[in-house]
Amino acid sequence: MRDYLKIEINHLLGSLLIFIPIGYLLQQIPVAIALAFIAYFSKHAYYLTKLAYLINQGARIDPPYPADIWGLIYKELSRFRSRSRKRKRTLSRFASRFRKVTSSIPDGLILLNKSAGIEWANPAANQLLNISWPRDENTPLSEHIKHEELSEYLKNPDYSKPLELPSPTNKAVIISLRVTPFGGKKAQRLVVARDITDVYKLNQTRRDFVSNVSHELRTPLTVIAGYLENLSDNDMLPFQERPFTLMVQQADRMNSIINDLLTLSRLELGRAASAEKPVAIPELLRRIIDQAQLLAEQKGGYKITLDVNDSLWLLGEESELMSAFSNLVFNAIIHSPPGTEITVTWLRLENEACLTVTDTGPGIEERHIPRLTERFYRVDKARSRQSGGTGLGLAIVKHIIGRHDGELRISSQLGVGSSFTCAFPEEVTLNKPLTAPDKEEAVNSANDEQPELTHSSPE
């Protein structure tokens, strides 16, 4: 850069050296100096005008370049335009490959703006949802997909669960819509439409099969259990007692499996709870703890602690919540050795209402945790069968909590214990309505601590 400045200074001095002697001879030195500066700046005006012309015409700026500072400007602009052309070619190739990739994807891809208008869509979106780009650009998505839950689904910021609906082009095709926000402040959204007809039919077939088989098995099992009950009134020979006891135990276990399968099939039929009524969770948990103490007495040596927020209730189905919560509490007793401490809490944490069952049992290996809610999955098959578990309990709990818009979270550490948390959003919680006596009692007991419910085996 310094070299170019020296060149410009030399050019200016050269102009002055040419015009000042002439002005001296003509006795017009000021005019000569002015002419020298005019000549110097005329050169700059020429190169500036030439550059503007080349840029306006989109012409290439090729050498030879001027031997002054304009040469630097011309050279750098030429390099910049060359790099720009390369970037354009790269972007063009990338855009071409992107179009080919999106055209080959079987899932429909739809780009929405912040007002849920269509900005772009791939060809698969036309086949699945009858949305074509650029034909339907800037039109609302709800104009093309007539579904009562779509508008609420798009307004809800939680897109963790997909929306399943029939395809507008073919009602026999089931589409799963999943939304992913992105961009600045996540104002834009990418909608992925996937054909899940085969999976949907397979799940429906599985549910129907399980339900039908469970119903068909119930009748012969009832007959077997009836005969076993009649035989229990008769005297048996010593060698008959153990086989008879095993038959009764296995009949009871099969009956539990059938009941759990029927419950699970019923839960899978809908997403929302069958009823949305205020449920007094604190009282429900106290009933569960009373029942859990009876089980603890049979096994011996458990300490059960209950900590609840008495004013925190839920909207939902009481029988389903009773089943889910009792399942977690009883599991803590069944799958833990005597001496285990079990803590049950029902509290409001941040924007959630959380039911947490924590035990100090042997814990669960981390690799098993993601699969605990699968049907019939067992961490220790031998121990689970000995305890009488069906392998369906946590699957039922997960479905019940999901039907109440909640989430089941599991954490565990070997040798330390396990924690099962049912977290419910603020939308399904409510405060217990207080009557006048209740209000007075609440004021008097505001600073009292919740007493512990404990059970210990006799010395």
Side-chain angles (χ1 to χ4, degrees):
M1 188 66 184
R2 292 180 179 178
D3 294 337
Y4 286 101
L5 290 175
K6 291 180 180 179
I7 292 174
E8 290 303 316
I9 292 172
N10 291 335
H11 284 185
L12 179 58
L13 292 176
S15 297
L16 292 172
L17 290 175
I18 292 173
F19 283 93
I20 287 177
I22 298 174
Y24 178 77
L25 295 174
L26 298 176
Q27 296 182 352
Q28 295 291 334
I29 292 179
V31 175
I33 293 174
L35 291 174
F37 276 98
I38 290 173
Y40 173 76
F41 286 112
S42 295
K43 177 198 71 169
H44 290 289
Y46 167 75
Y47 286 129
L48 179 61
T49 303
K50 180 181 178 181
L51 180 61
Y53 174 80
L54 293 174
I55 293 175
N56 184 56
Q57 296 296 320
R60 297 175 63 90
I61 304 175
D62 296 324
Y65 303 120
D68 54 14
I69 196 169
W70 284 101
L72 175 63
I73 295 173
Y74 276 39
K75 187 184 298 182
E76 291 302 319
L77 283 175
S78 178
R79 290 178 180 176
F80 175 79
R81 296 183 70 177
S82 177
R83 289 194 297 267
S84 178
R85 285 192 295 268
K86 289 181 181 179
R87 283 196 295 269
K88 287 182 179 179
R89 288 194 295 268
T90 302
L91 290 175
S92 178
R93 289 194 297 267
F94 176 80
S96 177
R97 288 197 298 268
F98 177 77
R99 285 192 294 268
K100 290 180 181 178
V101 169
T102 54
S103 298
S104 63
I105 292 177
D107 297 339
L109 304 178
I110 306 166
L111 185 63
L112 302 180
N113 55 29
K114 60 182 180 180
S115 58
I118 298 171
E119 288 191 357
W120 171 85
N122 71 338
N126 188 28
Q127 300 174 4
L128 296 174
L129 303 172
N130 194 27
I131 295 176
S132 177
W133 182 84
R135 182 194 69 192
D136 300 322
E137 188 174 4
N138 295 326
T139 60
L141 182 64
S142 56
E143 287 187 6
H144 305 276
I145 303 177
K146 305 296 183 181
H147 193 269
E148 56 184 7
E149 297 182 13
L150 179 61
S151 298
E152 291 298 326
Y153 183 72
L154 293 176
K155 293 178 182 178
N156 189 349
D158 182 14
Y159 298 119
S160 57
K161 296 179 182 179
L163 176 65
E164 296 179 2
L165 47 86
S167 170
T169 59
N170 185 355
K171 299 300 181 182
V173 176
I174 305 299
I175 302 298
S176 172
L177 291 184
R178 187 174 289 275
V179 179
T180 303
F182 72 98
K185 296 183 180 180
K186 295 187 177 180
Q188 292 181 302
R189 286 165 288 182
L190 177 65
V191 180
V192 180
R194 176 168 295 177
D195 184 352
I196 59 167
T197 306
D198 293 339
V199 176
Y200 183 84
K201 290 181 178 178
L202 181 62
N203 288 333
Q204 185 65 43
T205 302
R206 175 179 58 79
R207 287 194 293 267
D208 292 342
F209 173 78
V210 170
S211 179
N212 293 335
V213 169
S214 300
H215 280 290
E216 292 299 324
L217 287 176
R218 171 163 284 183
T219 299
L221 184 60
T222 302
V223 175
I224 294 172
Y227 278 111
L228 289 174
E229 185 177 355
N230 291 334
L231 289 173
S232 65
D233 297 331
N234 300 325
D235 295 333
M236 297 185 184
L237 298 175
F239 71 89
Q240 294 175 327
E241 291 180 356
R242 178 169 173 74
F244 180 79
T245 301
L246 292 175
M247 284 189 292
V248 172
Q249 290 176 351
Q250 294 304 313
D252 291 341
R253 181 168 177 269
M254 185 174 291
N255 187 56
S256 297
I257 292 175
I258 290 173
N259 289 334
D260 285 349
L261 284 173
L262 290 174
T263 300
L264 199 54
S265 297
R266 178 178 58 82
L267 293 173
E268 288 179 337
L269 292 177
R271 291 184 178 179
S274 56
E276 288 191 358
K277 299 178 181 178
V279 180
I281 300 299
E283 296 302 322
L284 182 145
L285 290 175
R286 289 187 175 93
R287 295 201 303 270
I288 293 175
I289 294 301
D290 290 340
Q291 297 172 11
Q293 284 182 334
L294 297 177
L295 178 62
E297 288 177 0
Q298 298 175 6
K299 296 192 67 177
Y302 292 86
K303 179 182 179 182
I304 304 176
T305 303
L306 178 63
D307 181 13
V308 299
N309 181 347
D310 285 313
S311 63
L312 184 58
W313 289 25
L314 271 185
L315 287 173
E317 175 59 48
E318 182 174 355
S319 61
E320 293 184 4
L321 293 171
M322 180 77 173
S323 175
F325 295 167
S326 60
N327 209 313
L328 294 178
V329 176
F330 293 162
N331 275 352
I333 299 174
I334 293 172
H335 298 292
S336 300
T340 299
E341 295 183 5
I342 299 171
T343 303
V344 180
T345 62
W346 170 245
L347 303 171
R348 188 186 298 276
L349 302 176
E350 296 182 354
N351 295 326
E352 296 178 327
C354 295
L355 180 282
T356 303
V357 179
T358 305
D359 64 69
T360 58
I364 305 169
E365 291 185 42
E366 186 176 355
R367 62 188 178 92
H368 293 298
I369 293 178
R371 301 190 60 189
L372 286 179
T373 56
E374 294 181 10
R375 298 180 180 209
F376 301 110
Y377 184 80
R378 301 174 185 271
V379 175
D380 187 338
K381 296 182 179 180
R383 190 180 70 177
S384 297
R385 289 196 173 92
Q386 290 173 1
S387 63
T390 64
L392 295 170
L394 288 180
I396 293 175
V397 171
K398 181 181 178 181
H399 276 82
I400 292 176
I401 302 306
R403 282 160 57 85
H404 289 77
D405 296 328
E407 180 184 2
L408 176 62
R409 301 166 186 165
I410 305 173
S411 61
S412 184
Q413 186 176 351
L414 285 176
V416 177
S418 305
S419 178
F420 294 80
T421 299
C422 303
F424 300 92
E426 193 173 5
E427 291 76 13
V428 297
T429 65
L430 72 159
N431 292 323
K432 172 187 175 182
L434 296 177
T435 61
D438 291 332
K439 291 180 181 179
E440 183 178 355
E441 181 181 353
V443 172
N444 295 333
S445 60
N447 298 322
D448 293 343
E449 294 183 356
Q450 177 68 36
E452 290 187 351
L453 301 178
T454 62
H455 170 78
S456 300
S457 59
E459 294 291 339

